[in-house]
Amino acid sequence: ALPNPKMILLVWFLGGLLTLCGALTYAELGAMLPQAGGEYVYLREAYGSFWAFLSGWTYFFVTNPGSIAAMSLGACAYLKPFWPSFFDQVLLNFQGPGFRWSLSTNQVAAVGIVLFFSAINYVGVKQGSRAQNILTLAKLISIFAICGLGLTIGKGNWGNFSSGQTIEAGV
């Protein structure tokens, strides 16, 4: 939605600065309070045990499950182009007075992803660590491959960042 490439890069830069500030804050808190417990410990020291307790349970029941669900649905969105006939088919559809409920293959696949990774972690810490290392390596190889291919065979220019305006190469 930004009108030119410089503004897009500025937003990315500002987002990176904000992320760096958050990371440095957590690093400082971790150095000041070297105890197991993460945010619980920081909140307990700042606001007391009650608020730390509430934050921990909110994270356990709301934040963590919500982020896991969002990531699994995101994974399904990325998988959809590879298997479009599977995703978004409605399996069940219930309608009643004042409500409507449906179950799609997208939702089933997302639950399957959560169950798959939960099973890996249930088997053991070593297996979970191995799966995480393999997936991290796959992500890094993909990122470097995209960057390398973009730099070697890419034919883009700054005009690809603008909406409707073309900028001549070399200008």
Side-chain angles (χ1 to χ4, degrees):
L2 296 174
N4 65 43
K6 290 178 184 173
M7 290 182 74
I8 294 170
L9 293 175
L10 177 66
V11 168
W12 272 93
F13 180 74
L14 291 176
L17 282 179
L18 285 173
T19 303
L20 179 64
C21 290
L24 292 174
T25 301
Y26 272 103
E28 185 66 28
L29 285 169
M32 288 173 50
L33 302 167
Q35 303 167 12
E39 286 184 17
Y40 172 83
V41 173
Y42 311 147
L43 290 171
R44 184 189 67 210
E45 293 299 319
Y47 302 111
S49 295
F50 176 73
W51 296 109
F53 174 81
L54 284 182
S55 174
W57 280 103
T58 301
Y59 182 80
F60 183 75
F61 280 112
V62 179
T63 307
N64 201 25
S67 65
I68 290 171
M71 286 186 284
S72 64
L73 286 170
C76 289
Y78 282 112
L79 290 172
K80 186 176 179 178
F82 298 105
W83 199 5
S85 62
F86 173 76
F87 290 97
D88 290 334
Q89 292 181 17
V90 176
L91 300 174
L92 298 171
N93 197 5
F94 294 109
Q95 288 184 340
F99 78 93
R100 183 178 154 211
W101 182 83
S102 64
L103 180 68
S104 71
T105 52
N106 196 37
Q107 294 166 324
V108 171
V111 170
I113 289 170
V114 171
L115 291 175
F116 174 74
F117 286 108
S118 297
I120 291 173
N121 285 301
Y122 176 77
V123 171
V125 174
K126 277 189 179 179
Q127 289 79 2
S129 174
R130 189 175 298 125
Q132 186 172 3
N133 289 339
I134 290 169
L135 290 172
T136 300
L137 184 63
K139 284 187 273 188
L140 288 174
I141 289 170
S142 299
I143 289 170
F144 286 126
I146 289 170
C147 291
L149 291 172
L151 291 172
T152 56
I153 64 171
K155 304 277 190 261
N157 63 30
W158 283 101
N160 294 333
F161 284 104
S162 65
S163 57
Q165 299 176 358
T166 57
I167 300 172
E168 296 295 322
V171 175

